[in-house]
Amino acid sequence: MSPAARLRGLRPDWLSDPKVWRTEALAGLVVGLALIPEAISFSIIAGVDPAIGLFASFTMAVTISVVGGRRAMISAATGAVALVIAPLNREHGFGYLVAAVILAGVFQIVLGAVGVAKLMRFVPRSVMVGFVNSLAILIFMAQVPEMHDVPWPVYPLIIGGLALMVFFPKITTVIPAPLVSIIVLTVITVAAGIAVPTVGDKGELPSSLPVPGLPDVPFTMDTLTTVAPYVLAMALVGLMESLMTAKLVDDITDTRSSKKRESIGQGIANIVTGFFGGMGGCAMIGQTMINVKVSGARTRLSTFLAGAFLMVLCIVFGPVVSDIPMAALVAVMVMVCFATFDWHSIAPKTLKRMPAGEITVMVVTVACVVATHNLAVGVVAGSITAMAVFAKRVAHHAEVTALPDRQDGKVTYSITGALFFASANELVGRFDYAGDPDKVVIDMSAAHVWDASSVAALDAIGAKYAQRGKTVEIIGLNGPSARIHETLSGELTGSH
């Protein structure tokens, strides 16, 4: 391959394909518009000036577009992070909030480097479905205040915006339907002088770029102990939401991404955001769905442009952006809800076929997220429920079958299945200690020993037979089972 051909292979798609460039640029513009009211709203939750949330969204998006592991995913100021750091800002001041953001970024880099992203493989599909559905519900719930106690024209504007997004793609997909909806509804409200809530009503937009600086806090151990709990919570919540969102985008686009790089990238983005006086953030499911699922973006360019357009829109076109009716952005987010929700998961046909345990896990995940408005709580609760369901199911798979051989004066017990703490506890009661002959063989060819509880159960069985003067021989252990049995047998009780 010639150097020129090799160079072309390294060039991003958007540099060589005008169609990709157009899709990415328009997607970035739509997301940039959608970020404005969200960032302002999250600023209010965190108790900071709206400009702080907008700066955070700008620096997060631009930085993660370069250092992140998942292309086309949007990171910005989020509600989950705002909820975590709001008490710190309220009780100790903005300087401590910024310090927490920077330290949370450092902690995320450390967690990413040690491989915390690998834990994602332990998140079951039912938890993932619950995560997606609960996000759709939360996004919709966040729009409800914008539809309550508002002038009546808001409702036909929302319906009109939804209709445009449903039917406009049938005409052309060159321009993203959400962008068309926003432009059309803005023109209608301004031209007709319709008085409805606008983006400008949410807060004043910034008039200049953020300036880097150090947090205004004393660099002491007291400061560290004050921010430490918030740092830990922000780092974990941000990583969990980002990695779950990255996994979701992987599934939508049928591509793989580096979760380790994404974890480290989130940390770098939060450090940069902290030094620019932002409130920190993580991946945004709503804006990511607008970017990937609704607008069709697939590259880092859309993420970069979303942040760049956000600042340009605020600083250069602030008066125009301020006139955008909230109804237009509500319509976009409602459309995102419908696109995000996994409707197949609640279809009667699916529910009839789905095991009860899987449905329970999904419901627990959704209920916890909706009740707490915290994605991390839902994912953890759902995963724990899934483990309990799995343990209960597997515990019944350990079968004990007696195969007596009267000629040799012995009995052979065949054990089948996985032996771990849940199944091993019932194992001891499956043997006839008094009635069995003097020689007992336990065949483990079809079983696997997973933990110390299983070894302790086998030791207890041997001890019960020994009390009656009978011998036990264990045969058929596979390699890993034999190693754990050899290591722990006789070492789990005080007597040897």
Side-chain angles (χ1 to χ4, degrees):
M1 183 183 292
S2 67
R6 191 179 297 112
L7 184 61
R8 281 196 300 272
L10 295 173
R11 292 171 66 187
D13 292 341
W14 51 268
L15 274 178
S16 54
D17 189 340
K19 186 177 179 182
V20 173
W21 162 263
R22 184 176 61 244
T23 299
E24 301 297 310
L26 292 174
L29 179 57
V30 174
V31 173
L33 286 167
L35 280 172
I36 294 172
E38 295 275 305
I40 294 173
S41 298
F42 298 146
S43 299
I44 295 169
I45 292 173
V48 299
D49 189 81
I52 302 301
L54 292 166
F55 288 157
S57 295
F58 163 62
T59 52
M60 285 291 298
V62 169
T63 306
I64 206 69
S65 69
V66 178
V67 300
R70 173 66 258 176
R71 292 182 296 173
M73 193 167 79
I74 305 297
S75 289
T78 57
V81 170
L83 287 169
V84 169
I85 59 177
L88 177 63
N89 180 62
R90 186 169 56 248
E91 295 169 17
H92 299 280
F94 181 66
Y96 283 83
L97 182 152
V98 173
V101 170
I102 294 171
L103 288 176
V106 173
F107 193 48
Q108 287 177 329
I109 292 175
V110 173
L111 289 174
V114 300
V116 72
K118 292 179 181 178
L119 295 176
M120 285 302 297
R121 62 184 175 180
F122 295 107
V123 178
R125 184 185 179 279
S126 49
V127 173
M128 191 69 191
V129 172
F131 169 82
V132 170
N133 290 348
S134 58
L135 280 170
I137 294 170
L138 284 185
I139 294 169
F140 182 81
M141 289 173 64
Q143 311 313 309
V144 172
E146 305 296 338
M147 296 184 276
H148 177 66
D149 195 22
V150 292
W152 70 265
V154 167
Y155 303 109
L157 285 172
I158 292 174
I159 293 171
L162 290 170
L164 276 170
M165 284 182 282
V166 171
F167 295 110
F168 187 79
K170 300 181 186 301
I171 301 172
T172 179
T173 55
V174 172
I175 304 175
L179 180 59
V180 174
S181 178
I182 291 169
I183 292 173
V184 170
L185 295 190
T186 303
V187 169
I188 290 173
T189 54
V190 172
I194 301 173
V196 292
T198 64
V199 170
D201 296 332
K202 286 289 184 181
E204 187 177 348
L205 301 180
S207 57
S208 62
L209 289 170
V211 179
L214 294 174
D216 184 19
V217 293
F219 294 93
T220 63
M221 188 58 66
D222 286 343
T223 300
L224 182 61
T225 55
T226 299
V227 302
Y230 302 95
V231 167
L232 179 63
M234 178 185 165
L236 293 177
V237 168
L239 274 187
M240 187 174 294
E241 190 164 347
S242 298
L243 293 174
M244 293 288 282
T245 304
K247 189 172 186 297
L248 178 61
V249 178
D250 288 353
D251 293 340
I252 292 172
T253 60
D254 290 327
T255 57
R256 297 183 65 183
S257 61
S258 171
K259 304 303 183 295
K260 179 178 180 179
R261 178 175 172 179
E262 184 60 42
S263 301
I264 295 173
Q266 289 291 332
I268 295 171
N270 272 309
I271 292 173
V272 172
T273 297
F275 280 121
F276 276 93
M279 57 182 275
C282 60
M284 295 191 79
I285 181 68
Q287 277 66 19
T288 298
M289 289 300 100
I290 293 174
N291 197 45
V292 175
K293 204 163 187 179
V294 180
S295 302
R298 292 292 183 272
T299 76
R300 298 179 184 276
L301 180 64
S302 58
T303 307
F304 176 84
L305 290 178
F309 280 140
L310 171 64
M311 277 293 99
V312 171
L313 288 167
C314 291
I315 296 170
V316 181
F317 299 102
V320 176
V321 173
S322 295
D323 287 335
I324 295 174
M326 285 302 300
L329 298 173
V330 169
V332 172
M333 297 310 289
V334 169
M335 196 69 184
V336 169
C337 297
F338 281 98
T340 302
F341 198 91
D342 187 349
W343 297 100
H344 176 72
S345 67
I346 61 170
K349 183 188 290 186
T350 305
L351 294 176
K352 284 181 182 178
R353 295 181 178 180
M354 191 73 67
E358 301 287 320
I359 297 173
T360 301
V361 170
M362 182 178 71
V363 171
V364 167
T365 304
V366 172
C368 289
V369 171
V370 173
T372 64
H373 284 226
N374 190 322
L375 295 165
V377 170
V379 171
V380 170
S383 297
I384 291 173
T385 305
M387 291 176 193
V389 169
F390 175 76
K392 183 179 179 182
R393 187 181 301 158
V394 176
H396 299 295
H397 288 180
E399 299 293 336
V400 179
T401 307
L403 306 171
D405 187 345
R406 300 302 175 189
Q407 290 182 346
D408 291 342
K410 70 177 182 180
V411 62
T412 299
Y413 284 93
S414 175
I415 299 179
T416 305
L419 295 185
F420 66 115
F421 60 89
S423 57
N425 289 336
E426 299 180 0
L427 196 65
V428 179
R430 307 290 291 275
F431 293 81
D432 183 6
Y433 302 102
D436 282 340
D438 291 342
K439 185 174 182 182
V440 178
V441 177
I442 300 178
D443 186 357
M444 301 282 290
S445 302
H448 189 97
V449 176
W450 286 104
D451 60 5
S453 297
S454 307
V455 177
L458 292 173
D459 284 354
I461 293 167
K464 285 182 177 293
Y465 277 116
Q467 288 172 1
R468 293 167 173 81
K470 301 175 182 181
T471 60
V472 174
E473 180 186 5
I474 298 176
I475 64 172
L477 285 169
N478 59 34
S481 298
R483 282 192 291 274
I484 191 171
H485 184 266
E486 182 180 345
T487 302
L488 296 178
S489 182
E491 302 294 331
L492 299 173
T493 61
S495 58
H496 299 289

